Amino acid sequence: MLVSKLFTHTQKQDPKNEEAKNACLLTRAGFVYKNMAGVYSILPLGFRVLQNIRRIIREELQTFGAEEVYLNELQNKETWSVSGRWNELKDVMYQFSDSRGKDIGLATTHEEVVAEIAKNYIHSYKDLPKGIFQIQDKFRNEPRARSGLLRGREFEMKDLYSFHADEECLDKYYQKVMEVYIRIFGRLGLDAIITNASGGTFTRDFSHEFQVISENGEDTIYVCEKCHKGKNKEIVAGAGVEDSDLVVKCDCGAEMKKKRSIEVGNIFKLGVKFSQAVGLNFSDKDGNRNPVIMASYGIGTTRVLAAIAEVLSDKNGLVWNAETAPYQMYLIDLTGAGFGLSENLSDVVLMDDRDASPGEKFADADLLGIPYRVVKSKKTADKVEVKERVSGRIEVMEWDKFLEKLKRE
Ligand code: ATP
Ligand code: MG
C-alpha cells in the first residue's frame, strides 16, 4: 500500500476534544474518528488492527469448538422483561419506542437473547455442553465516557456463552477458557493478570477479570508479584479499613501491590439465573427436568485496541506487534531506485511515496507503530537500514536477508 493512497493521514497535534492517551494517539495516527463522547468510527488502519484482534480471538476459540453467531442488536422488551433486566438496566440500556409504539432496546449484552434462542435447541443432556460466541457491538449509556476507546457508549465485544448440564462440566470449560484467554492476550502483546472480582448480581463465587496494568486504567487491583495473580479492589475493600492502610495478602501468602489497571476481559459463571428466567431446561439421564447452567466470557475488542495504544506506546507513538500490526513494514526510499517489491508483499508493506522530508516520514513510521522501518539511502548503498519499532534497534542488512528474517518470525 502506498502512503499517498491511504484514506487517512497523520496529524501533528493532539485532537482538542480528547483527554485520553489512547484516543489522542489513535486519532493523530488516523486510526479512529470520534463522532461524539464514547462513539468512534474505526478507520482503515485501525480496522486492520481490529481485524487482527478478531482473527486471534477466533483462531483461539476454535480450539474447543465454539461456534460463531451474529445476534440481533435491536432488543424487544419482552425478552428482557422475563429476567427483570429491562427495568434493572434502565439507566444503562438505550431504550425507546419505535414509530409503532413498540418498546425497543439496543443490546447492552446478549444473555437474554442467547438463552431464549437456546430453548429451541437444548432439550436433553445429550444436547450439552454447547458454546457460541459473537464479535459485535454493545451499547451502554455509560455515565462517563472520557477514556477514549477504553469506555465506549457503542463498542465492540467478543462474548462467548456456554451451556452445561452440571457444575463439573461448567468448571472444566471455564478453566479451559481461562487458559485460552491467556494465550489470546499473549498474542495481543498484553500481560493480562487473572484477577478475582465480584460476580456482579448473579454468581455465588468470584468472576475473573483479565487486567492489564496501566496508569490510565479506570480499575484498581492488588497484584501479587510472586504468583502474578490479582484481586480487584472491590472485593478486598469494604471491611471498613482505610484504603491507604490496607494490607492485602495473596492466597500464596505474599503481600499484594496496589495498581491501576484496564479490564480487558471478564468471565462469569451465570448459574441458572437466565435459564430459569426464560425456562431453558433439559432432561437429565433419569428424565428429570433441570435448568441449564450457563456462563459468559467477554473480551472488549475495541477496548483491547485502546489498551494496546495505552500500554505499549512510547513518546513517538503507537507500537504494534507482528500479530496486531496493520502492516509489517514501513518503507522509505531516499535513493529513487525503489525496493523492487514483489506483488505478494503489498499487503504487508506501507511504502511512503509522498513528497515529504525524510524527517516527516520517519516520524510517521514511528507514530503509526509499524514493527519495522526500512530505509534505503546513499549511506546504506545496496543494503537497507532496518529499525525495529519496539526496541529502536537499528541494523543495516541485505533486503533479501531482512525478508527471510521476517518470514522466519
Ligand atoms: P467495566 O467494569 O469496565 O464497566 P463491565 O464489567 O461492565 O466493564 P463486562 O460486561 O464484563 O464489562 O464486559 C466484558 C468486557 O467488555 C470488559 O471486560 C471490557 O473489556 C469490555 N467493555 C465493557 N464495557 C465497555 C465499554 N463501555 N467500552 C469498551 N469496552 C467495554
Ligand atoms: Mg466486567
Side-chain angles (χ1 to χ4, degrees), residues 328-334 339 350-352 362 365 370-377 380 383-388 395 397-399 402-403 406:
Q328 294 302 319
M329 50 182 131
Y330 193 101
L331 304 188
I332 300 171
D333 174 26
L334 302 176
F339 280 85
L350 261 185
M351 170 81 182
D352 198 341
F362 294 161
I370 310 300
Y372 292 103
R373 184 190 83 191
V374 184
V375 180
K376 200 169 179 180
S377 67
T380 64
K383 295 187 173 158
V384 293
E385 180 201 85
V386 178
K387 183 178 157 214
E388 194 183 45
E395 207 181 324
M397 61 171 95
E398 275 159 27
W399 173 235
F402 170 65
L403 292 181
L406 260 195

PDB file of all heavy atoms in Angstrom, residues 328-334 339 350-352 362 365 370-377 380 383-388 395 397-399 402-403 406:
ATOM      1  N   GLN A 328       3.353  -4.738   8.248  1.00  0.00           N
ATOM      2  CA  GLN A 328       4.562  -5.228   8.925  1.00  0.00           C
ATOM      3  C   GLN A 328       5.750  -4.279   8.765  1.00  0.00           C
ATOM      4  O   GLN A 328       6.616  -4.224   9.614  1.00  0.00           O
ATOM      5  CB  GLN A 328       4.950  -6.623   8.400  1.00  0.00           C
ATOM      6  CG  GLN A 328       3.934  -7.705   8.729  1.00  0.00           C
ATOM      7  CD  GLN A 328       3.684  -7.836  10.219  1.00  0.00           C
ATOM      8  OE1 GLN A 328       4.593  -7.773  11.033  1.00  0.00           O
ATOM      9  NE2 GLN A 328       2.408  -7.974  10.580  1.00  0.00           N
ATOM     10  N   MET A 329       5.815  -3.602   7.615  1.00  0.00           N
ATOM     11  CA  MET A 329       6.986  -2.722   7.415  1.00  0.00           C
ATOM     12  C   MET A 329       6.622  -1.424   6.721  1.00  0.00           C
ATOM     13  O   MET A 329       5.669  -1.361   5.944  1.00  0.00           O
ATOM     14  CB  MET A 329       8.088  -3.452   6.654  1.00  0.00           C
ATOM     15  CG  MET A 329       7.613  -4.128   5.399  1.00  0.00           C
ATOM     16  SD  MET A 329       8.985  -4.992   4.618  1.00  0.00           S
ATOM     17  CE  MET A 329       8.238  -6.588   4.324  1.00  0.00           C
ATOM     18  N   TYR A 330       7.409  -0.424   7.041  1.00  0.00           N
ATOM     19  CA  TYR A 330       7.197   0.919   6.510  1.00  0.00           C
ATOM     20  C   TYR A 330       8.443   1.265   5.705  1.00  0.00           C
ATOM     21  O   TYR A 330       9.547   1.375   6.260  1.00  0.00           O
ATOM     22  CB  TYR A 330       7.027   1.889   7.682  1.00  0.00           C
ATOM     23  CG  TYR A 330       6.493   3.249   7.315  1.00  0.00           C
ATOM     24  CD1 TYR A 330       5.161   3.567   7.514  1.00  0.00           C
ATOM     25  CD2 TYR A 330       7.342   4.226   6.793  1.00  0.00           C
ATOM     26  CE1 TYR A 330       4.672   4.831   7.204  1.00  0.00           C
ATOM     27  CE2 TYR A 330       6.849   5.487   6.474  1.00  0.00           C
ATOM     28  CZ  TYR A 330       5.509   5.780   6.690  1.00  0.00           C
ATOM     29  OH  TYR A 330       5.026   7.021   6.378  1.00  0.00           O
ATOM     30  N   LEU A 331       8.299   1.370   4.404  1.00  0.00           N
ATOM     31  CA  LEU A 331       9.464   1.547   3.537  1.00  0.00           C
ATOM     32  C   LEU A 331       9.672   3.008   3.161  1.00  0.00           C
ATOM     33  O   LEU A 331       8.722   3.707   2.786  1.00  0.00           O
ATOM     34  CB  LEU A 331       9.310   0.728   2.249  1.00  0.00           C
ATOM     35  CG  LEU A 331       9.072  -0.781   2.401  1.00  0.00           C
ATOM     36  CD1 LEU A 331       9.147  -1.467   1.033  1.00  0.00           C
ATOM     37  CD2 LEU A 331      10.048  -1.407   3.360  1.00  0.00           C
ATOM     38  N   ILE A 332      10.901   3.432   3.266  1.00  0.00           N
ATOM     39  CA  ILE A 332      11.256   4.796   2.867  1.00  0.00           C
ATOM     40  C   ILE A 332      12.455   4.703   1.935  1.00  0.00           C
ATOM     41  O   ILE A 332      13.530   4.230   2.326  1.00  0.00           O
ATOM     42  CB  ILE A 332      11.608   5.659   4.108  1.00  0.00           C
ATOM     43  CG1 ILE A 332      10.394   5.720   5.058  1.00  0.00           C
ATOM     44  CG2 ILE A 332      12.036   7.056   3.678  1.00  0.00           C
ATOM     45  CD1 ILE A 332      10.693   6.367   6.400  1.00  0.00           C
ATOM     46  N   ASP A 333      12.251   5.138   0.707  1.00  0.00           N
ATOM     47  CA  ASP A 333      13.327   5.084  -0.281  1.00  0.00           C
ATOM     48  C   ASP A 333      13.851   6.492  -0.530  1.00  0.00           C
ATOM     49  O   ASP A 333      13.135   7.334  -1.070  1.00  0.00           O
ATOM     50  CB  ASP A 333      12.780   4.469  -1.578  1.00  0.00           C
ATOM     51  CG  ASP A 333      13.823   4.519  -2.687  1.00  0.00           C
ATOM     52  OD1 ASP A 333      15.022   4.551  -2.369  1.00  0.00           O
ATOM     53  OD2 ASP A 333      13.407   4.529  -3.869  1.00  0.00           O
ATOM     54  N   LEU A 334      15.090   6.732  -0.114  1.00  0.00           N
ATOM     55  CA  LEU A 334      15.652   8.082  -0.297  1.00  0.00           C
ATOM     56  C   LEU A 334      16.565   8.136  -1.523  1.00  0.00           C
ATOM     57  O   LEU A 334      17.240   9.126  -1.767  1.00  0.00           O
ATOM     58  CB  LEU A 334      16.434   8.503   0.957  1.00  0.00           C
ATOM     59  CG  LEU A 334      15.631   8.511   2.265  1.00  0.00           C
ATOM     60  CD1 LEU A 334      16.522   8.854   3.454  1.00  0.00           C
ATOM     61  CD2 LEU A 334      14.464   9.488   2.187  1.00  0.00           C
ATOM     62  N   PHE A 339      12.426  -0.375  -4.168  1.00  0.00           N
ATOM     63  CA  PHE A 339      12.809  -1.593  -3.442  1.00  0.00           C
ATOM     64  C   PHE A 339      12.679  -2.841  -4.309  1.00  0.00           C
ATOM     65  O   PHE A 339      13.071  -3.928  -3.890  1.00  0.00           O
ATOM     66  CB  PHE A 339      11.928  -1.761  -2.191  1.00  0.00           C
ATOM     67  CG  PHE A 339      12.363  -0.899  -1.033  1.00  0.00           C
ATOM     68  CD1 PHE A 339      11.929   0.421  -0.928  1.00  0.00           C
ATOM     69  CD2 PHE A 339      13.198  -1.403  -0.054  1.00  0.00           C
ATOM     70  CE1 PHE A 339      12.312   1.212   0.147  1.00  0.00           C
ATOM     71  CE2 PHE A 339      13.589  -0.616   1.014  1.00  0.00           C
ATOM     72  CZ  PHE A 339      13.147   0.696   1.114  1.00  0.00           C
ATOM     73  N   LEU A 350       3.796  -0.851   3.864  1.00  0.00           N
ATOM     74  CA  LEU A 350       3.380   0.528   3.635  1.00  0.00           C
ATOM     75  C   LEU A 350       4.587   1.225   3.015  1.00  0.00           C
ATOM     76  O   LEU A 350       5.674   1.239   3.596  1.00  0.00           O
ATOM     77  CB  LEU A 350       3.047   1.222   4.950  1.00  0.00           C
ATOM     78  CG  LEU A 350       1.599   1.339   5.369  1.00  0.00           C
ATOM     79  CD1 LEU A 350       1.510   2.176   6.639  1.00  0.00           C
ATOM     80  CD2 LEU A 350       0.731   1.927   4.274  1.00  0.00           C
ATOM     81  N   MET A 351       4.389   1.781   1.829  1.00  0.00           N
ATOM     82  CA  MET A 351       5.512   2.395   1.114  1.00  0.00           C
ATOM     83  C   MET A 351       5.297   3.904   1.103  1.00  0.00           C
ATOM     84  O   MET A 351       4.304   4.385   0.552  1.00  0.00           O
ATOM     85  CB  MET A 351       5.499   1.820  -0.310  1.00  0.00           C
ATOM     86  CG  MET A 351       6.417   2.506  -1.263  1.00  0.00           C
ATOM     87  SD  MET A 351       8.078   1.862  -1.020  1.00  0.00           S
ATOM     88  CE  MET A 351       8.921   2.877  -2.201  1.00  0.00           C
ATOM     89  N   ASP A 352       6.186   4.644   1.762  1.00  0.00           N
ATOM     90  CA  ASP A 352       5.985   6.096   1.842  1.00  0.00           C
ATOM     91  C   ASP A 352       6.515   6.780   0.581  1.00  0.00           C
ATOM     92  O   ASP A 352       7.690   7.110   0.463  1.00  0.00           O
ATOM     93  CB  ASP A 352       6.657   6.672   3.091  1.00  0.00           C
ATOM     94  CG  ASP A 352       6.097   8.054   3.408  1.00  0.00           C
ATOM     95  OD1 ASP A 352       5.499   8.675   2.491  1.00  0.00           O
ATOM     96  OD2 ASP A 352       6.242   8.515   4.552  1.00  0.00           O
ATOM     97  N   PHE A 362      10.040   9.553   8.776  1.00  0.00           N
ATOM     98  CA  PHE A 362      10.496   8.801   9.957  1.00  0.00           C
ATOM     99  C   PHE A 362       9.496   8.965  11.102  1.00  0.00           C
ATOM    100  O   PHE A 362       9.144   8.008  11.788  1.00  0.00           O
ATOM    101  CB  PHE A 362      11.877   9.295  10.423  1.00  0.00           C
ATOM    102  CG  PHE A 362      12.990   9.029   9.441  1.00  0.00           C
ATOM    103  CD1 PHE A 362      14.190   9.729   9.517  1.00  0.00           C
ATOM    104  CD2 PHE A 362      12.840   8.076   8.438  1.00  0.00           C
ATOM    105  CE1 PHE A 362      15.215   9.484   8.611  1.00  0.00           C
ATOM    106  CE2 PHE A 362      13.864   7.820   7.526  1.00  0.00           C
ATOM    107  CZ  PHE A 362      15.055   8.531   7.611  1.00  0.00           C
ATOM    108  N   ALA A 365       6.369   6.900  10.455  1.00  0.00           N
ATOM    109  CA  ALA A 365       6.605   5.460  10.632  1.00  0.00           C
ATOM    110  C   ALA A 365       6.509   5.114  12.115  1.00  0.00           C
ATOM    111  O   ALA A 365       5.894   4.113  12.505  1.00  0.00           O
ATOM    112  CB  ALA A 365       7.979   5.075  10.093  1.00  0.00           C
ATOM    113  N   ILE A 370       4.376   0.819  13.063  1.00  0.00           N
ATOM    114  CA  ILE A 370       4.669  -0.338  12.207  1.00  0.00           C
ATOM    115  C   ILE A 370       5.946  -1.030  12.724  1.00  0.00           C
ATOM    116  O   ILE A 370       6.938  -0.340  13.007  1.00  0.00           O
ATOM    117  CB  ILE A 370       4.864   0.117  10.736  1.00  0.00           C
ATOM    118  CG1 ILE A 370       3.694   1.009  10.282  1.00  0.00           C
ATOM    119  CG2 ILE A 370       5.052  -1.079   9.805  1.00  0.00           C
ATOM    120  CD1 ILE A 370       2.336   0.374  10.336  1.00  0.00           C
ATOM    121  N   PRO A 371       5.925  -2.372  12.878  1.00  0.00           N
ATOM    122  CA  PRO A 371       7.051  -3.073  13.535  1.00  0.00           C
ATOM    123  C   PRO A 371       8.429  -2.774  12.954  1.00  0.00           C
ATOM    124  O   PRO A 371       9.392  -2.660  13.708  1.00  0.00           O
ATOM    125  CB  PRO A 371       6.689  -4.554  13.364  1.00  0.00           C
ATOM    126  CG  PRO A 371       5.200  -4.564  13.295  1.00  0.00           C
ATOM    127  CD  PRO A 371       4.800  -3.288  12.605  1.00  0.00           C
ATOM    128  N   TYR A 372       8.544  -2.642  11.624  1.00  0.00           N
ATOM    129  CA  TYR A 372       9.868  -2.363  11.046  1.00  0.00           C
ATOM    130  C   TYR A 372       9.832  -1.164  10.104  1.00  0.00           C
ATOM    131  O   TYR A 372       8.961  -1.079   9.237  1.00  0.00           O
ATOM    132  CB  TYR A 372      10.378  -3.574  10.257  1.00  0.00           C
ATOM    133  CG  TYR A 372      10.702  -4.748  11.139  1.00  0.00           C
ATOM    134  CD1 TYR A 372       9.823  -5.832  11.217  1.00  0.00           C
ATOM    135  CD2 TYR A 372      11.858  -4.771  11.907  1.00  0.00           C
ATOM    136  CE1 TYR A 372      10.107  -6.913  12.042  1.00  0.00           C
ATOM    137  CE2 TYR A 372      12.150  -5.845  12.733  1.00  0.00           C
ATOM    138  CZ  TYR A 372      11.273  -6.916  12.797  1.00  0.00           C
ATOM    139  OH  TYR A 372      11.556  -7.977  13.612  1.00  0.00           O
ATOM    140  N   ARG A 373      10.801  -0.270  10.299  1.00  0.00           N
ATOM    141  CA  ARG A 373      11.000   0.819   9.343  1.00  0.00           C
ATOM    142  C   ARG A 373      12.237   0.461   8.521  1.00  0.00           C
ATOM    143  O   ARG A 373      13.303   0.178   9.072  1.00  0.00           O
ATOM    144  CB  ARG A 373      11.240   2.122  10.093  1.00  0.00           C
ATOM    145  CG  ARG A 373      11.372   3.331   9.184  1.00  0.00           C
ATOM    146  CD  ARG A 373      11.858   4.525   9.968  1.00  0.00           C
ATOM    147  NE  ARG A 373      13.300   4.514  10.123  1.00  0.00           N
ATOM    148  CZ  ARG A 373      13.977   5.334  10.938  1.00  0.00           C
ATOM    149  NH1 ARG A 373      13.324   6.207  11.695  1.00  0.00           N
ATOM    150  NH2 ARG A 373      15.285   5.275  11.008  1.00  0.00           N
ATOM    151  N   VAL A 374      12.071   0.461   7.199  1.00  0.00           N
ATOM    152  CA  VAL A 374      13.176   0.056   6.329  1.00  0.00           C
ATOM    153  C   VAL A 374      13.536   1.226   5.423  1.00  0.00           C
ATOM    154  O   VAL A 374      12.689   1.723   4.672  1.00  0.00           O
ATOM    155  CB  VAL A 374      12.778  -1.174   5.479  1.00  0.00           C
ATOM    156  CG1 VAL A 374      13.970  -1.636   4.643  1.00  0.00           C
ATOM    157  CG2 VAL A 374      12.283  -2.307   6.376  1.00  0.00           C
ATOM    158  N   VAL A 375      14.770   1.680   5.512  1.00  0.00           N
ATOM    159  CA  VAL A 375      15.202   2.854   4.751  1.00  0.00           C
ATOM    160  C   VAL A 375      16.303   2.472   3.775  1.00  0.00           C
ATOM    161  O   VAL A 375      17.255   1.767   4.133  1.00  0.00           O
ATOM    162  CB  VAL A 375      15.723   3.969   5.692  1.00  0.00           C
ATOM    163  CG1 VAL A 375      16.169   5.189   4.882  1.00  0.00           C
ATOM    164  CG2 VAL A 375      14.652   4.362   6.691  1.00  0.00           C
ATOM    165  N   LYS A 376      16.135   2.961   2.552  1.00  0.00           N
ATOM    166  CA  LYS A 376      17.181   2.794   1.553  1.00  0.00           C
ATOM    167  C   LYS A 376      17.719   4.202   1.273  1.00  0.00           C
ATOM    168  O   LYS A 376      16.964   5.105   0.923  1.00  0.00           O
ATOM    169  CB  LYS A 376      16.533   2.229   0.288  1.00  0.00           C
ATOM    170  CG  LYS A 376      17.500   1.560  -0.645  1.00  0.00           C
ATOM    171  CD  LYS A 376      16.720   0.816  -1.711  1.00  0.00           C
ATOM    172  CE  LYS A 376      17.701   0.161  -2.655  1.00  0.00           C
ATOM    173  NZ  LYS A 376      17.020  -0.570  -3.704  1.00  0.00           N
ATOM    174  N   SER A 377      19.045   4.369   1.431  1.00  0.00           N
ATOM    175  CA  SER A 377      19.618   5.693   1.214  1.00  0.00           C
ATOM    176  C   SER A 377      21.009   5.539   0.616  1.00  0.00           C
ATOM    177  O   SER A 377      21.511   4.424   0.456  1.00  0.00           O
ATOM    178  CB  SER A 377      19.714   6.435   2.551  1.00  0.00           C
ATOM    179  OG  SER A 377      20.664   5.791   3.370  1.00  0.00           O
ATOM    180  N   THR A 380      23.266   3.520   2.883  1.00  0.00           N
ATOM    181  CA  THR A 380      23.126   2.058   3.007  1.00  0.00           C
ATOM    182  C   THR A 380      23.607   1.332   1.750  1.00  0.00           C
ATOM    183  O   THR A 380      23.654   0.105   1.732  1.00  0.00           O
ATOM    184  CB  THR A 380      21.658   1.657   3.268  1.00  0.00           C
ATOM    185  OG1 THR A 380      20.873   2.032   2.119  1.00  0.00           O
ATOM    186  CG2 THR A 380      21.105   2.351   4.495  1.00  0.00           C
ATOM    187  N   LYS A 383      22.404  -2.077   0.527  1.00  0.00           N
ATOM    188  CA  LYS A 383      21.698  -2.708   1.652  1.00  0.00           C
ATOM    189  C   LYS A 383      20.544  -1.806   2.110  1.00  0.00           C
ATOM    190  O   LYS A 383      20.266  -0.789   1.472  1.00  0.00           O
ATOM    191  CB  LYS A 383      22.676  -2.956   2.795  1.00  0.00           C
ATOM    192  CG  LYS A 383      23.746  -3.972   2.429  1.00  0.00           C
ATOM    193  CD  LYS A 383      24.575  -4.303   3.632  1.00  0.00           C
ATOM    194  CE  LYS A 383      25.518  -5.452   3.267  1.00  0.00           C
ATOM    195  NZ  LYS A 383      26.654  -5.478   4.163  1.00  0.00           N
ATOM    196  N   VAL A 384      19.898  -2.189   3.191  1.00  0.00           N
ATOM    197  CA  VAL A 384      18.845  -1.345   3.757  1.00  0.00           C
ATOM    198  C   VAL A 384      19.080  -1.187   5.258  1.00  0.00           C
ATOM    199  O   VAL A 384      19.696  -2.045   5.897  1.00  0.00           O
ATOM    200  CB  VAL A 384      17.425  -1.931   3.544  1.00  0.00           C
ATOM    201  CG1 VAL A 384      17.048  -1.939   2.072  1.00  0.00           C
ATOM    202  CG2 VAL A 384      17.297  -3.338   4.144  1.00  0.00           C
ATOM    203  N   GLU A 385      18.558  -0.090   5.791  1.00  0.00           N
ATOM    204  CA  GLU A 385      18.649   0.129   7.239  1.00  0.00           C
ATOM    205  C   GLU A 385      17.310  -0.260   7.858  1.00  0.00           C
ATOM    206  O   GLU A 385      16.269   0.296   7.486  1.00  0.00           O
ATOM    207  CB  GLU A 385      18.937   1.602   7.502  1.00  0.00           C
ATOM    208  CG  GLU A 385      19.059   1.942   8.971  1.00  0.00           C
ATOM    209  CD  GLU A 385      18.842   3.414   9.239  1.00  0.00           C
ATOM    210  OE1 GLU A 385      17.665   3.815   9.386  1.00  0.00           O
ATOM    211  OE2 GLU A 385      19.835   4.161   9.275  1.00  0.00           O
ATOM    212  N   VAL A 386      17.358  -1.220   8.771  1.00  0.00           N
ATOM    213  CA  VAL A 386      16.127  -1.717   9.382  1.00  0.00           C
ATOM    214  C   VAL A 386      16.070  -1.259  10.828  1.00  0.00           C
ATOM    215  O   VAL A 386      16.978  -1.526  11.607  1.00  0.00           O
ATOM    216  CB  VAL A 386      16.078  -3.261   9.342  1.00  0.00           C
ATOM    217  CG1 VAL A 386      14.821  -3.770  10.034  1.00  0.00           C
ATOM    218  CG2 VAL A 386      16.129  -3.747   7.895  1.00  0.00           C
ATOM    219  N   LYS A 387      14.972  -0.552  11.172  1.00  0.00           N
ATOM    220  CA  LYS A 387      14.811  -0.136  12.564  1.00  0.00           C
ATOM    221  C   LYS A 387      13.601  -0.855  13.159  1.00  0.00           C
ATOM    222  O   LYS A 387      12.494  -0.798  12.609  1.00  0.00           O
ATOM    223  CB  LYS A 387      14.609   1.374  12.650  1.00  0.00           C
ATOM    224  CG  LYS A 387      14.518   1.867  14.076  1.00  0.00           C
ATOM    225  CD  LYS A 387      14.368   3.373  14.141  1.00  0.00           C
ATOM    226  CE  LYS A 387      13.731   3.782  15.448  1.00  0.00           C
ATOM    227  NZ  LYS A 387      12.868   4.939  15.332  1.00  0.00           N
ATOM    228  N   GLU A 388      13.849  -1.534  14.266  1.00  0.00           N
ATOM    229  CA  GLU A 388      12.759  -2.227  14.948  1.00  0.00           C
ATOM    230  C   GLU A 388      12.021  -1.216  15.816  1.00  0.00           C
ATOM    231  O   GLU A 388      12.634  -0.575  16.672  1.00  0.00           O
ATOM    232  CB  GLU A 388      13.340  -3.359  15.796  1.00  0.00           C
ATOM    233  CG  GLU A 388      12.309  -4.339  16.288  1.00  0.00           C
ATOM    234  CD  GLU A 388      12.927  -5.414  17.192  1.00  0.00           C
ATOM    235  OE1 GLU A 388      13.732  -5.056  18.072  1.00  0.00           O
ATOM    236  OE2 GLU A 388      12.610  -6.579  17.009  1.00  0.00           O
ATOM    237  N   GLU A 395      19.731  -1.894  12.323  1.00  0.00           N
ATOM    238  CA  GLU A 395      20.676  -2.838  11.731  1.00  0.00           C
ATOM    239  C   GLU A 395      20.703  -2.588  10.221  1.00  0.00           C
ATOM    240  O   GLU A 395      19.653  -2.382   9.611  1.00  0.00           O
ATOM    241  CB  GLU A 395      20.171  -4.265  12.014  1.00  0.00           C
ATOM    242  CG  GLU A 395      21.264  -5.304  12.073  1.00  0.00           C
ATOM    243  CD  GLU A 395      20.678  -6.703  12.331  1.00  0.00           C
ATOM    244  OE1 GLU A 395      19.687  -6.788  13.087  1.00  0.00           O
ATOM    245  OE2 GLU A 395      21.177  -7.660  11.760  1.00  0.00           O
ATOM    246  N   MET A 397      21.339  -4.271   6.719  1.00  0.00           N
ATOM    247  CA  MET A 397      21.420  -5.643   6.192  1.00  0.00           C
ATOM    248  C   MET A 397      20.936  -5.694   4.751  1.00  0.00           C
ATOM    249  O   MET A 397      20.393  -4.712   4.233  1.00  0.00           O
ATOM    250  CB  MET A 397      20.623  -6.600   7.077  1.00  0.00           C
ATOM    251  CG  MET A 397      19.137  -6.308   7.180  1.00  0.00           C
ATOM    252  SD  MET A 397      18.276  -7.628   8.031  1.00  0.00           S
ATOM    253  CE  MET A 397      18.249  -7.024   9.688  1.00  0.00           C
ATOM    254  N   GLU A 398      21.131  -6.854   4.136  1.00  0.00           N
ATOM    255  CA  GLU A 398      20.619  -7.009   2.773  1.00  0.00           C
ATOM    256  C   GLU A 398      19.101  -7.147   2.817  1.00  0.00           C
ATOM    257  O   GLU A 398      18.550  -7.789   3.696  1.00  0.00           O
ATOM    258  CB  GLU A 398      21.264  -8.240   2.120  1.00  0.00           C
ATOM    259  CG  GLU A 398      22.613  -7.911   1.505  1.00  0.00           C
ATOM    260  CD  GLU A 398      23.470  -9.143   1.310  1.00  0.00           C
ATOM    261  OE1 GLU A 398      22.902 -10.238   1.148  1.00  0.00           O
ATOM    262  OE2 GLU A 398      24.705  -8.995   1.333  1.00  0.00           O
ATOM    263  N   TRP A 399      18.460  -6.557   1.843  1.00  0.00           N
ATOM    264  CA  TRP A 399      16.999  -6.566   1.737  1.00  0.00           C
ATOM    265  C   TRP A 399      16.475  -7.997   1.762  1.00  0.00           C
ATOM    266  O   TRP A 399      15.533  -8.317   2.500  1.00  0.00           O
ATOM    267  CB  TRP A 399      16.628  -5.824   0.454  1.00  0.00           C
ATOM    268  CG  TRP A 399      15.193  -5.833   0.024  1.00  0.00           C
ATOM    269  CD1 TRP A 399      14.719  -6.246  -1.185  1.00  0.00           C
ATOM    270  CD2 TRP A 399      14.042  -5.367   0.763  1.00  0.00           C
ATOM    271  NE1 TRP A 399      13.356  -6.083  -1.248  1.00  0.00           N
ATOM    272  CE2 TRP A 399      12.916  -5.545  -0.056  1.00  0.00           C
ATOM    273  CE3 TRP A 399      13.861  -4.831   2.042  1.00  0.00           C
ATOM    274  CZ2 TRP A 399      11.633  -5.212   0.340  1.00  0.00           C
ATOM    275  CZ3 TRP A 399      12.570  -4.498   2.450  1.00  0.00           C
ATOM    276  CH2 TRP A 399      11.482  -4.681   1.605  1.00  0.00           C
ATOM    277  N   PHE A 402      16.599  -9.509   5.181  1.00  0.00           N
ATOM    278  CA  PHE A 402      15.533  -8.988   6.040  1.00  0.00           C
ATOM    279  C   PHE A 402      14.214  -9.712   5.754  1.00  0.00           C
ATOM    280  O   PHE A 402      13.500 -10.108   6.680  1.00  0.00           O
ATOM    281  CB  PHE A 402      15.370  -7.479   5.847  1.00  0.00           C
ATOM    282  CG  PHE A 402      14.150  -6.928   6.519  1.00  0.00           C
ATOM    283  CD1 PHE A 402      14.031  -6.956   7.907  1.00  0.00           C
ATOM    284  CD2 PHE A 402      13.095  -6.401   5.770  1.00  0.00           C
ATOM    285  CE1 PHE A 402      12.890  -6.465   8.529  1.00  0.00           C
ATOM    286  CE2 PHE A 402      11.954  -5.911   6.395  1.00  0.00           C
ATOM    287  CZ  PHE A 402      11.857  -5.945   7.769  1.00  0.00           C
ATOM    288  N   LEU A 403      13.920  -9.895   4.472  1.00  0.00           N
ATOM    289  CA  LEU A 403      12.675 -10.587   4.120  1.00  0.00           C
ATOM    290  C   LEU A 403      12.669 -12.019   4.650  1.00  0.00           C
ATOM    291  O   LEU A 403      11.646 -12.511   5.137  1.00  0.00           O
ATOM    292  CB  LEU A 403      12.468 -10.584   2.597  1.00  0.00           C
ATOM    293  CG  LEU A 403      12.181  -9.220   1.974  1.00  0.00           C
ATOM    294  CD1 LEU A 403      11.980  -9.360   0.467  1.00  0.00           C
ATOM    295  CD2 LEU A 403      10.963  -8.545   2.599  1.00  0.00           C
ATOM    296  N   LEU A 406      11.978 -11.925   8.361  1.00  0.00           N
ATOM    297  CA  LEU A 406      10.558 -11.692   8.614  1.00  0.00           C
ATOM    298  C   LEU A 406       9.755 -12.982   8.471  1.00  0.00           C
ATOM    299  O   LEU A 406       8.868 -13.278   9.262  1.00  0.00           O
ATOM    300  CB  LEU A 406      10.004 -10.672   7.616  1.00  0.00           C
ATOM    301  CG  LEU A 406       9.826  -9.242   8.056  1.00  0.00           C
ATOM    302  CD1 LEU A 406       8.930  -8.510   7.058  1.00  0.00           C
ATOM    303  CD2 LEU A 406       9.204  -9.137   9.452  1.00  0.00           C
TER     304      LEU A 406
END
